[in-house]
Amino acid sequence: MSNLEQDPREIHCRPDAGADGELLTGREVPLGGPRAMKVTRTLPNVRRRMIGAWCFVDAYGPETATMRVPPHPHTGLQTVSWLVSGEVLHRDSLGSLQAVRPGQLNLMTAGRGISHSEESREGVLHGVQLWVALPGEHRQTGPGFEHHASLPVLSGPGFHATVIMGVLGGVASSATAYTPLVGAEVTVDGDAELPLDERFEHGVLLLDGAVEPLSPGPMRYLPPGRAGLRVSGRGRLLLIGGEPFDEEIVMWWNFVGRSHDDIVAYRKEWMEGEGFGTVQGFDGDPLPAPILPTTRLRPRGRTR
């Protein structure tokens, strides 16, 4: 999934400190399509632009909608597509054609550049789309695509976790990761304590049900130094985390770079060149890039 905003800009929403971490309130962003599907974007946020290498989190649904995201470019990141319900078809400029369904992972590595599209039939869609920033030594890597039809599971008293990326409680996903991180969908049934890596900062987002100490909507940020998170109730949540990402990045539209000039070059290549390849089979035109802002884009760290 892309950022379809035609005037991408930094967000200004108020973080809210809670008794058990910091609440990151999202904002609604329209994705377009026949029914103007909307997502709630919790990363980047006003104070916390990243959690580990995770730099973008959109949650959507459950909603009856049609997803139609025309071919568009990416650089310097990985896209992580995860569904709770529904089905989405991925096409990319490598020739990949792959549907993703609940419990499966579509992982695309943009590296120096790739383009892709996503679409679905009308139906109930519920899921999350995430980006992982690539560290400097890997941001020019060749593009790639992985589909993981099954993923490892960690179970404990009161919970059952599918490890999407990275490592949780010693259980490791086979999905390619370039920094120490974790991404997992956790089903909670009763009282549970989720294992956390004390080196990591974490974010927890309620996907459905009722699970304390979470609430629908905002993501709860947890700083490094915690070995576990106690939860109770019945529902499903998304857990992300990683070692704090110390590099400054520029994130604009669907690009992650390191400078304003990087973004200018990426945009020019998408609009005029051939470096992002061609997505075959999509019935429609590629997505044009928005106009760049009149001021120079500045590299920023994970917090403000």
Side-chain angles (χ1 to χ4, degrees):
M1 189 183 297
S2 73
N3 179 4
L4 296 189
E5 292 179 290
Q6 287 301 300
D7 185 19
R9 61 184 65 189
E10 293 180 334
I11 57 178
H12 298 282
C13 39
R14 182 183 298 276
D16 186 11
D20 193 11
E22 179 181 297
L23 293 182
L24 307 181
T25 302
R27 64 183 179 116
E28 277 199 347
V29 178
L31 281 186
R35 297 201 174 186
M37 180 180 174
K38 292 184 178 180
V39 302
T40 299
R41 183 162 300 158
T42 50
L43 279 183
N45 208 274
V46 63
R47 283 182 55 188
R48 303 207 175 272
R49 299 171 56 83
M50 303 177 73
I51 296 176
W54 302 93
C55 61
F56 183 95
V57 176
D58 275 357
Y60 53 92
E63 176 183 356
T64 299
T66 301
M67 182 182 292
R68 181 174 168 83
V69 182
H72 58 277
H74 285 291
T75 61
L77 57 85
Q78 293 177 290
T79 65
V80 177
S81 299
W82 185 259
L83 289 174
V84 177
S85 61
E87 179 178 319
V88 175
L89 181 66
H90 165 99
R91 304 177 193 263
D92 66 40
S93 52
L94 299 176
S96 308
L97 178 64
Q98 180 63 60
V100 64
R101 302 176 179 88
Q104 302 177 349
L105 167 65
N106 271 4
L107 175 66
M108 188 179 74
T109 300
R112 61 178 175 266
I114 196 171
S115 56
H116 76 137
S117 66
E118 289 179 297
E119 55 190 319
S120 74
R121 298 175 181 176
E122 184 173 4
V124 176
L125 288 175
H126 185 193
V128 287
Q129 179 71 35
L130 309 101
W131 296 354
V132 181
L134 293 174
E137 65 266 30
H138 294 293
R139 69 189 187 98
Q140 295 296 329
T141 191
F145 176 79
E146 303 171 22
H147 175 73
H148 296 264
S150 62
L151 293 159
V153 170
L154 172 69
S155 294
F159 78 92
H160 177 92
T162 301
V163 185
I164 302 168
M165 289 186 72
V167 181
L168 178 67
V171 174
S173 168
S174 58
T176 301
Y178 292 88
T179 57
L181 54 73
V182 63
E185 182 192 86
V186 183
T187 299
V188 178
D189 186 6
D191 296 328
E193 182 162 3
L194 309 181
L196 301 181
D197 189 322
E198 294 183 80
R199 302 170 299 161
F200 289 3
E201 53 185 355
H202 292 87
V204 191
L205 182 69
L206 184 66
L207 297 176
D208 62 26
V211 179
E212 293 291 339
L214 307 178
S215 57
M219 175 178 287
R220 187 172 293 276
Y221 170 80
L222 305 172
R226 300 182 59 135
L229 171 65
R230 292 183 179 179
V231 293
S232 63
R234 286 174 175 80
R236 185 164 16 198
L237 58 89
L238 175 74
L239 172 69
I240 61 172
E243 287 187 352
F245 195 84
D246 290 331
E247 300 179 35
E248 293 189 335
I249 64 173
V250 178
M251 189 166 71
W252 181 84
W253 196 43
N254 295 302
F255 304 131
V256 170
R258 294 302 188 276
S259 70
H260 177 86
D261 292 339
D262 281 351
I263 302 301
V264 170
Y266 297 151
R267 184 187 185 280
K268 180 179 176 64
E269 183 62 32
W270 173 243
M271 297 298 290
E272 303 177 12
E274 300 179 351
F276 289 98
T278 301
V279 177
Q280 301 290 343
F282 183 86
D283 184 17
D285 295 328
L287 194 66
I291 301 299
L292 280 161
T294 55
T295 56
R296 288 183 65 85
L297 300 164
R298 293 188 299 157
R300 298 182 184 275
R302 67 183 189 273
T303 61
R304 294 188 203 167

